[in-house]
Amino acid sequence: MIRHVDIAVRQVIRKILHLSAGLSNEFFHLPAKEGGLEFPVLQELVGLAKVKLYRNIALQNDVFLRNIVEMQGSGMNERYLNHLKLGWQPTADDLRSRKDCLLKEKRTAYIQKVHSTGHEVFSTCALTNTWLLNGQRSMKTRMYINAIKLRTNSYETQVTTTRGLDVDKTCRKCHQADESLMHVLQCCESTKGPRYTRHHHVCSRVTMKLAEAGYTVYTEKSLPDPNNTGHLLRPDIIAVRAGQAIVLDVSCVYETSGAAFLNAYNRKVQKYKPLIPAIKEKYDCGQVEVHGLIIGSRGSYHHAQLHIWHNIGFTANDLKFLAINCMENSVRVAAFFGQSIRSSWT
Ligand SMILES: [Zn+2]
């Protein structure tokens, strides 16, 4: 019976959030800090509570109470024990480890689904997931719903709406690749404009932070590429303070895996490192650091790169809002793409 309540709850959430029937159940139940919606599985919650209660009563010396529970509740206790795959008379440790195991089973099931793309990144950087629980308060409803669709890789594109079907999935705008969410948010020529806006907003926030910290900030300064005569390199930001300079270049990546962040960072550093001698000379600096500032288009950071953001003055709270803003701008990129498809039909 209670299993049906769980199904009904998921159906209602799907309906309210306009999520597809195929979206993995695990997303609804994983902890918010891991990127889920944290709705309890009632069958498990109630089952564990009942078994625990039954066990506690059985351990007491009250013979009368024990007899009542054994007469009236043993069948129910047995059903819950079977469902939870627990042996007869489980210990407190058995109950704890079963609870942990149920969570692990959900994680394992989720990472095998297409909706979990990026889960490795989201689940290891809790500050990027707080909006899942309280975003309804700070985000407009439509934005919240679309952000969830981005997070679960289920925003409507040719690829997501025809999963499992042998049909043409080529991008309806550029015809250069499959119309996946990643293509729309990161690569499609047709979304270049709103993608630039998304990138520019992150750069502006970084510039403000550095200025607040007393840096003199130069944006998009062109410098000759020492390894490529006749070509220029133009990092997003060069910040100078007290004889030290930081060269920063922002990149917005799609969260396919943690490696996407690490590779993007290394590419940025390799690209701009050759500028160090020229920057030392131009800005009279003894020390120059080069970093990539990598942010996920679906509102995340790589946990191992958070210190770079903190070192330039971003607090955890600042980072939460910056990530949400980046994700909202990605929703705008996707919406812009959708509108341009519709307008090309008319
Ligand atoms: Zn395209």
mmCIF file of all heavy atoms in Angstrom, residues 45-60 65-66 69-70 73 76-77 80-81 84 86 90-92 95:
data_model
loop_
_atom_site.group_PDB
_atom_site.id
_atom_site.type_symbol
_atom_site.label_atom_id
_atom_site.label_comp_id
_atom_site.label_asym_id
_atom_site.label_seq_id
_atom_site.Cartn_x
_atom_site.Cartn_y
_atom_site.Cartn_z
ATOM 1 N N LEU A 45 11.323 4.598 4.720
ATOM 2 C CA LEU A 45 11.310 5.408 5.945
ATOM 3 C C LEU A 45 10.408 4.776 7.003
ATOM 4 O O LEU A 45 10.814 4.560 8.150
ATOM 5 C CB LEU A 45 10.813 6.814 5.593
ATOM 6 C CG LEU A 45 10.992 7.885 6.645
ATOM 7 C CD1 LEU A 45 12.437 8.339 6.670
ATOM 8 C CD2 LEU A 45 10.102 9.094 6.329
ATOM 9 N N VAL A 46 9.180 4.468 6.573
ATOM 10 C CA VAL A 46 8.218 3.895 7.511
ATOM 11 C C VAL A 46 8.666 2.491 7.917
ATOM 12 O O VAL A 46 8.600 2.110 9.087
ATOM 13 C CB VAL A 46 6.800 3.859 6.876
ATOM 14 C CG1 VAL A 46 5.814 3.130 7.766
ATOM 15 C CG2 VAL A 46 6.331 5.279 6.609
ATOM 16 N N GLY A 47 9.169 1.719 6.937
ATOM 17 C CA GLY A 47 9.620 0.352 7.206
ATOM 18 C C GLY A 47 10.709 0.335 8.266
ATOM 19 O O GLY A 47 10.613 -0.400 9.257
ATOM 20 N N LEU A 48 11.715 1.175 8.088
ATOM 21 C CA LEU A 48 12.824 1.201 9.060
ATOM 22 C C LEU A 48 12.341 1.651 10.436
ATOM 23 O O LEU A 48 12.759 1.107 11.456
ATOM 24 C CB LEU A 48 13.945 2.128 8.557
ATOM 25 C CG LEU A 48 14.832 1.547 7.455
ATOM 26 C CD1 LEU A 48 15.643 2.646 6.770
ATOM 27 C CD2 LEU A 48 15.768 0.467 7.988
ATOM 28 N N ALA A 49 11.428 2.645 10.435
ATOM 29 C CA ALA A 49 10.916 3.144 11.721
ATOM 30 C C ALA A 49 10.116 2.050 12.441
ATOM 31 O O ALA A 49 10.253 1.847 13.650
ATOM 32 C CB ALA A 49 10.050 4.374 11.481
ATOM 33 N N LYS A 50 9.289 1.318 11.683
ATOM 34 C CA LYS A 50 8.458 0.260 12.289
ATOM 35 C C LYS A 50 9.333 -0.870 12.834
ATOM 36 O O LYS A 50 9.110 -1.361 13.944
ATOM 37 C CB LYS A 50 7.500 -0.309 11.227
ATOM 38 C CG LYS A 50 6.419 0.660 10.792
ATOM 39 C CD LYS A 50 5.178 0.504 11.632
ATOM 40 C CE LYS A 50 4.060 1.371 11.078
ATOM 41 N NZ LYS A 50 2.963 1.517 12.027
ATOM 42 N N VAL A 51 10.316 -1.264 12.038
ATOM 43 C CA VAL A 51 11.185 -2.364 12.453
ATOM 44 C C VAL A 51 11.962 -1.965 13.710
ATOM 45 O O VAL A 51 12.117 -2.752 14.644
ATOM 46 C CB VAL A 51 12.147 -2.761 11.298
ATOM 47 C CG1 VAL A 51 13.232 -3.696 11.788
ATOM 48 C CG2 VAL A 51 11.368 -3.399 10.157
ATOM 49 N N LYS A 52 12.382 -0.699 13.726
ATOM 50 C CA LYS A 52 13.144 -0.201 14.880
ATOM 51 C C LYS A 52 12.257 -0.195 16.136
ATOM 52 O O LYS A 52 12.681 -0.637 17.209
ATOM 53 C CB LYS A 52 13.612 1.232 14.558
ATOM 54 C CG LYS A 52 14.703 1.724 15.460
ATOM 55 C CD LYS A 52 15.208 3.059 14.921
ATOM 56 C CE LYS A 52 16.128 3.706 15.918
ATOM 57 N NZ LYS A 52 16.524 5.034 15.514
ATOM 58 N N LEU A 53 11.017 0.259 15.952
ATOM 59 C CA LEU A 53 10.076 0.312 17.080
ATOM 60 C C LEU A 53 9.807 -1.103 17.613
ATOM 61 O O LEU A 53 9.827 -1.360 18.814
ATOM 62 C CB LEU A 53 8.775 0.967 16.611
ATOM 63 C CG LEU A 53 7.687 1.141 17.661
ATOM 64 C CD1 LEU A 53 8.132 2.149 18.717
ATOM 65 C CD2 LEU A 53 6.387 1.623 17.016
ATOM 66 N N TYR A 54 9.564 -2.018 16.683
ATOM 67 C CA TYR A 54 9.272 -3.411 17.039
ATOM 68 C C TYR A 54 10.459 -3.998 17.814
ATOM 69 O O TYR A 54 10.310 -4.680 18.812
ATOM 70 C CB TYR A 54 9.030 -4.210 15.748
ATOM 71 C CG TYR A 54 8.416 -5.568 15.986
ATOM 72 C CD1 TYR A 54 7.036 -5.730 16.022
ATOM 73 C CD2 TYR A 54 9.230 -6.688 16.153
ATOM 74 C CE1 TYR A 54 6.472 -6.974 16.233
ATOM 75 C CE2 TYR A 54 8.684 -7.930 16.364
ATOM 76 C CZ TYR A 54 7.300 -8.073 16.403
ATOM 77 O OH TYR A 54 6.750 -9.309 16.612
ATOM 78 N N ARG A 55 11.659 -3.660 17.332
ATOM 79 C CA ARG A 55 12.877 -4.179 17.957
ATOM 80 C C ARG A 55 13.023 -3.612 19.379
ATOM 81 O O ARG A 55 13.335 -4.345 20.317
ATOM 82 C CB ARG A 55 14.073 -3.773 17.087
ATOM 83 C CG ARG A 55 15.395 -4.174 17.613
ATOM 84 C CD ARG A 55 16.525 -3.671 16.728
ATOM 85 N NE ARG A 55 17.773 -3.816 17.440
ATOM 86 C CZ ARG A 55 18.237 -2.973 18.336
ATOM 87 N NH1 ARG A 55 17.565 -1.874 18.600
ATOM 88 N NH2 ARG A 55 19.369 -3.210 18.961
ATOM 89 N N ASN A 56 12.775 -2.316 19.519
ATOM 90 C CA ASN A 56 12.909 -1.688 20.837
ATOM 91 C C ASN A 56 11.933 -2.279 21.841
ATOM 92 O O ASN A 56 12.275 -2.506 23.003
ATOM 93 C CB ASN A 56 12.690 -0.168 20.737
ATOM 94 C CG ASN A 56 13.862 0.506 20.034
ATOM 95 O OD1 ASN A 56 14.922 -0.094 19.886
ATOM 96 N ND2 ASN A 56 13.673 1.734 19.598
ATOM 97 N N ILE A 57 10.704 -2.530 21.393
ATOM 98 C CA ILE A 57 9.704 -3.115 22.295
ATOM 99 C C ILE A 57 10.125 -4.533 22.685
ATOM 100 O O ILE A 57 10.033 -4.940 23.837
ATOM 101 C CB ILE A 57 8.302 -3.097 21.635
ATOM 102 C CG1 ILE A 57 7.827 -1.647 21.530
ATOM 103 C CG2 ILE A 57 7.311 -3.936 22.427
ATOM 104 C CD1 ILE A 57 6.560 -1.459 20.732
ATOM 105 N N ALA A 58 10.636 -5.262 21.688
ATOM 106 C CA ALA A 58 11.060 -6.646 21.952
ATOM 107 C C ALA A 58 12.198 -6.695 22.975
ATOM 108 O O ALA A 58 12.344 -7.675 23.706
ATOM 109 C CB ALA A 58 11.492 -7.305 20.648
ATOM 110 N N LEU A 59 12.982 -5.619 23.018
ATOM 111 C CA LEU A 59 14.130 -5.602 23.937
ATOM 112 C C LEU A 59 13.733 -5.207 25.360
ATOM 113 O O LEU A 59 14.499 -5.366 26.295
ATOM 114 C CB LEU A 59 15.193 -4.611 23.426
ATOM 115 C CG LEU A 59 15.980 -5.046 22.194
ATOM 116 C CD1 LEU A 59 16.866 -3.897 21.718
ATOM 117 C CD2 LEU A 59 16.820 -6.272 22.481
ATOM 118 N N GLN A 60 12.497 -4.709 25.510
ATOM 119 C CA GLN A 60 12.061 -4.263 26.838
ATOM 120 C C GLN A 60 11.573 -5.440 27.690
ATOM 121 O O GLN A 60 11.233 -6.501 27.154
ATOM 122 C CB GLN A 60 10.944 -3.238 26.700
ATOM 123 C CG GLN A 60 11.477 -1.877 26.277
ATOM 124 C CD GLN A 60 10.363 -0.874 26.092
ATOM 125 O OE1 GLN A 60 9.255 -1.097 26.545
ATOM 126 N NE2 GLN A 60 10.673 0.213 25.427
ATOM 127 N N LEU A 65 3.308 -5.749 26.938
ATOM 128 C CA LEU A 65 3.461 -4.973 25.697
ATOM 129 C C LEU A 65 4.051 -5.847 24.587
ATOM 130 O O LEU A 65 3.621 -5.817 23.435
ATOM 131 C CB LEU A 65 4.362 -3.764 25.976
ATOM 132 C CG LEU A 65 4.490 -2.722 24.871
ATOM 133 C CD1 LEU A 65 3.132 -2.130 24.530
ATOM 134 C CD2 LEU A 65 5.435 -1.593 25.312
ATOM 135 N N ARG A 66 5.021 -6.669 24.972
ATOM 136 C CA ARG A 66 5.664 -7.546 23.985
ATOM 137 C C ARG A 66 4.657 -8.516 23.368
ATOM 138 O O ARG A 66 4.630 -8.746 22.170
ATOM 139 C CB ARG A 66 6.781 -8.329 24.674
ATOM 140 C CG ARG A 66 8.121 -7.960 24.051
ATOM 141 C CD ARG A 66 9.320 -8.529 24.709
ATOM 142 N NE ARG A 66 9.194 -9.792 25.391
ATOM 143 C CZ ARG A 66 9.935 -10.117 26.461
ATOM 144 N NH1 ARG A 66 10.792 -9.266 26.941
ATOM 145 N NH2 ARG A 66 9.805 -11.293 27.028
ATOM 146 N N VAL A 69 2.339 -6.688 20.870
ATOM 147 C CA VAL A 69 3.025 -6.393 19.613
ATOM 148 C C VAL A 69 3.230 -7.676 18.811
ATOM 149 O O VAL A 69 3.036 -7.721 17.595
ATOM 150 C CB VAL A 69 4.376 -5.678 19.893
ATOM 151 C CG1 VAL A 69 5.218 -5.594 18.634
ATOM 152 C CG2 VAL A 69 4.123 -4.280 20.410
ATOM 153 N N GLU A 70 3.583 -8.761 19.496
ATOM 154 C CA GLU A 70 3.807 -10.021 18.786
ATOM 155 C C GLU A 70 2.516 -10.557 18.179
ATOM 156 O O GLU A 70 2.498 -11.078 17.074
ATOM 157 C CB GLU A 70 4.425 -11.056 19.731
ATOM 158 C CG GLU A 70 5.951 -10.957 19.742
ATOM 159 C CD GLU A 70 6.591 -11.753 20.858
ATOM 160 O OE1 GLU A 70 5.946 -12.722 21.332
ATOM 161 O OE2 GLU A 70 7.713 -11.415 21.260
ATOM 162 N N GLY A 73 1.380 -7.285 15.604
ATOM 163 C CA GLY A 73 2.264 -6.606 14.656
ATOM 164 C C GLY A 73 3.302 -7.481 14.003
ATOM 165 O O GLY A 73 4.084 -7.016 13.178
ATOM 166 N N MET A 76 3.134 -7.679 10.108
ATOM 167 C CA MET A 76 3.570 -6.431 9.472
ATOM 168 C C MET A 76 5.092 -6.284 9.577
ATOM 169 O O MET A 76 5.776 -5.937 8.615
ATOM 170 C CB MET A 76 2.891 -5.255 10.166
ATOM 171 C CG MET A 76 3.204 -3.917 9.546
ATOM 172 S SD MET A 76 2.289 -2.615 10.365
ATOM 173 C CE MET A 76 3.003 -2.650 11.994
ATOM 174 N N ASN A 77 5.614 -6.605 10.761
ATOM 175 C CA ASN A 77 7.066 -6.522 10.968
ATOM 176 C C ASN A 77 7.794 -7.434 9.979
ATOM 177 O O ASN A 77 8.798 -7.048 9.393
ATOM 178 C CB ASN A 77 7.388 -6.929 12.404
ATOM 179 C CG ASN A 77 8.849 -6.725 12.721
ATOM 180 O OD1 ASN A 77 9.380 -5.644 12.503
ATOM 181 N ND2 ASN A 77 9.504 -7.756 13.220
ATOM 182 N N TYR A 80 7.852 -5.894 6.498
ATOM 183 C CA TYR A 80 8.859 -4.834 6.375
ATOM 184 C C TYR A 80 10.275 -5.418 6.373
ATOM 185 O O TYR A 80 11.140 -4.967 5.627
ATOM 186 C CB TYR A 80 8.701 -3.812 7.507
ATOM 187 C CG TYR A 80 7.596 -2.809 7.232
ATOM 188 C CD1 TYR A 80 6.543 -2.635 8.120
ATOM 189 C CD2 TYR A 80 7.611 -2.038 6.080
ATOM 190 C CE1 TYR A 80 5.526 -1.716 7.871
ATOM 191 C CE2 TYR A 80 6.603 -1.111 5.818
ATOM 192 C CZ TYR A 80 5.567 -0.954 6.717
ATOM 193 O OH TYR A 80 4.581 -0.053 6.467
ATOM 194 N N LEU A 81 10.502 -6.424 7.221
ATOM 195 C CA LEU A 81 11.836 -7.054 7.249
ATOM 196 C C LEU A 81 12.169 -7.647 5.883
ATOM 197 O O LEU A 81 13.278 -7.492 5.378
ATOM 198 C CB LEU A 81 11.873 -8.159 8.316
ATOM 199 C CG LEU A 81 11.935 -7.691 9.771
ATOM 200 C CD1 LEU A 81 11.804 -8.886 10.710
ATOM 201 C CD2 LEU A 81 13.237 -6.951 10.059
ATOM 202 N N LEU A 84 12.835 -4.883 3.340
ATOM 203 C CA LEU A 84 14.131 -4.218 3.587
ATOM 204 C C LEU A 84 15.307 -5.187 3.513
ATOM 205 O O LEU A 84 16.458 -4.796 3.716
ATOM 206 C CB LEU A 84 14.115 -3.546 4.967
ATOM 207 C CG LEU A 84 13.169 -2.354 5.104
ATOM 208 C CD1 LEU A 84 12.961 -1.980 6.570
ATOM 209 C CD2 LEU A 84 13.713 -1.143 4.338
ATOM 210 N N LEU A 86 16.089 -7.549 5.526
ATOM 211 C CA LEU A 86 16.734 -7.666 6.837
ATOM 212 C C LEU A 86 16.408 -9.025 7.431
ATOM 213 O O LEU A 86 15.317 -9.567 7.206
ATOM 214 C CB LEU A 86 16.210 -6.570 7.769
ATOM 215 C CG LEU A 86 16.767 -5.154 7.543
ATOM 216 C CD1 LEU A 86 15.890 -4.132 8.252
ATOM 217 C CD2 LEU A 86 18.202 -5.043 8.045
ATOM 218 N N PRO A 90 16.920 -7.837 13.681
ATOM 219 C CA PRO A 90 18.123 -7.081 13.275
ATOM 220 C C PRO A 90 18.669 -6.244 14.438
ATOM 221 O O PRO A 90 17.895 -5.783 15.282
ATOM 222 C CB PRO A 90 17.611 -6.164 12.157
ATOM 223 C CG PRO A 90 16.147 -6.024 12.430
ATOM 224 C CD PRO A 90 15.694 -7.291 13.079
ATOM 225 N N THR A 91 19.958 -6.047 14.453
ATOM 226 C CA THR A 91 20.575 -5.190 15.486
ATOM 227 C C THR A 91 20.507 -3.737 15.013
ATOM 228 O O THR A 91 20.186 -3.468 13.836
ATOM 229 C CB THR A 91 22.055 -5.572 15.678
ATOM 230 O OG1 THR A 91 22.738 -5.292 14.445
ATOM 231 C CG2 THR A 91 22.219 -7.031 16.055
ATOM 232 N N ALA A 92 20.859 -2.814 15.917
ATOM 233 C CA ALA A 92 20.873 -1.384 15.543
ATOM 234 C C ALA A 92 21.867 -1.167 14.404
ATOM 235 O O ALA A 92 21.624 -0.375 13.486
ATOM 236 C CB ALA A 92 21.240 -0.544 16.751
ATOM 237 N N LEU A 95 20.363 -2.122 11.086
ATOM 238 C CA LEU A 95 19.436 -1.108 10.565
ATOM 239 C C LEU A 95 20.203 0.055 9.945
ATOM 240 O O LEU A 95 19.857 0.538 8.871
ATOM 241 C CB LEU A 95 18.515 -0.594 11.677
ATOM 242 C CG LEU A 95 17.519 -1.616 12.248
ATOM 243 C CD1 LEU A 95 16.706 -0.991 13.365
ATOM 244 C CD2 LEU A 95 16.585 -2.122 11.161
#
